[in-house]
Amino acid sequence: FGLLHTPANVSNAPCVFFCHGLAGNKIGKDRVYVEIASGLCKEGIASFRMDFRGSGDSEGAFIEMLPEYFVEDAMLALDFISERKGIDASKLGIMARSFGGPVAVEAAAQFKNICSMALWCPMFSGKQWQDHWQLLLTRAVDLKQAGEMMRINGQQGSPEFFERFMKIDVEKPLKTLGSVPLL
């Protein structure tokens, strides 16, 4: 589920796609994505805020999500945006936060038509959580603690999700985006 904000009186607007963080949503904490989208519209820039599968108003259960599904959803969103009347498909940007960072980088590397990116406190690698993951794998914590460690903002992740999450590393796809301005 997503919302496309289009500026009034602009016939071929550039557009920014928002990638929220893990267990986040299209609104953002304290409505930050809504506020940014409104500000962009005032400047003649469209934006698309979307809930990834299993998040916010979109279908699916968070526990069924895998990292690659977020990238699939981002690719579908970018296709949707680029096909909209009134959107300049040659001027697409991505704004991403936290876990949305690696999703945005991977999607941009695959989409190949992104002209700018802004990554806000992006995740770069799953390595920083390896110690926690090892506690779970070795059963060094009881089941209740393990369950809590696999919850993100109240959402329960699956062991398969976290196994793949730990392998995330955006260095390689980021290198393919060397010509894309990055903030």
Side-chain angles (χ1 to χ4, degrees):
F1 183 84
L3 296 167
L4 180 63
H5 299 254
T6 53
N9 303 319
V10 177
S11 60
N12 207 20
C15 188
V16 175
F17 168 52
F18 288 77
C19 288
H20 63 73
L22 196 56
N25 61 54
K26 67 187 170 307
I27 296 169
K29 186 175 183 203
D30 298 324
R31 296 178 51 84
V32 67
Y33 301 143
V34 177
E35 296 297 324
I36 294 170
S38 295
L40 288 171
C41 261
K42 289 176 185 173
E43 297 299 321
I45 301 169
S47 61
F48 185 64
R49 299 181 296 113
M50 182 191 79
D51 289 330
F52 289 102
R53 272 180 272 180
S55 298
D57 293 320
S58 286
E59 295 177 344
F62 185 78
I63 197 163
E64 296 170 354
M65 288 298 291
L66 297 173
E68 58 268 26
Y69 297 168
F70 289 87
V71 176
E72 288 174 12
D73 288 356
M75 296 296 291
L76 290 170
L78 291 167
D79 284 337
F80 170 82
I81 296 164
S82 65
E83 295 169 359
R84 300 279 58 90
K85 183 179 178 186
I87 301 295
D88 185 343
S90 70
K91 294 181 181 175
L92 300 180
I94 301 178
M95 188 276 186
R97 183 179 177 283
S98 189
F99 178 72
V103 172
V105 168
E106 188 62 46
Q110 290 180 33
F111 195 71
K112 307 220 184 286
N113 198 25
I114 299 301
C115 66
S116 65
M117 294 180 63
L119 305 180
W120 177 12
C121 195
M123 175 189 165
F124 187 74
S125 167
K127 292 177 186 174
Q128 67 190 45
W129 293 283
Q130 284 292 339
D131 292 343
H132 283 72
W133 184 238
Q134 286 305 312
L135 290 174
L136 293 171
L137 290 178
T138 61
R139 300 179 194 253
V141 295
D142 63 43
L143 287 176
K144 184 177 179 183
Q145 286 176 304
E148 286 304 311
M149 290 171 76
M150 292 174 57
R151 293 182 75 75
I152 302 159
N153 294 334
Q155 298 285 335
Q156 184 71 50
S158 71
E160 187 176 5
F161 174 87
F162 286 104
E163 182 179 315
R164 293 179 189 196
F165 179 89
M166 296 303 154
K167 296 176 183 173
I168 291 173
D169 186 348
V170 299
E171 187 173 359
K172 185 176 178 182
L174 194 56
K175 285 181 181 178
T176 69
L177 300 170
S179 64
V180 176
L182 173 64
L183 172 64

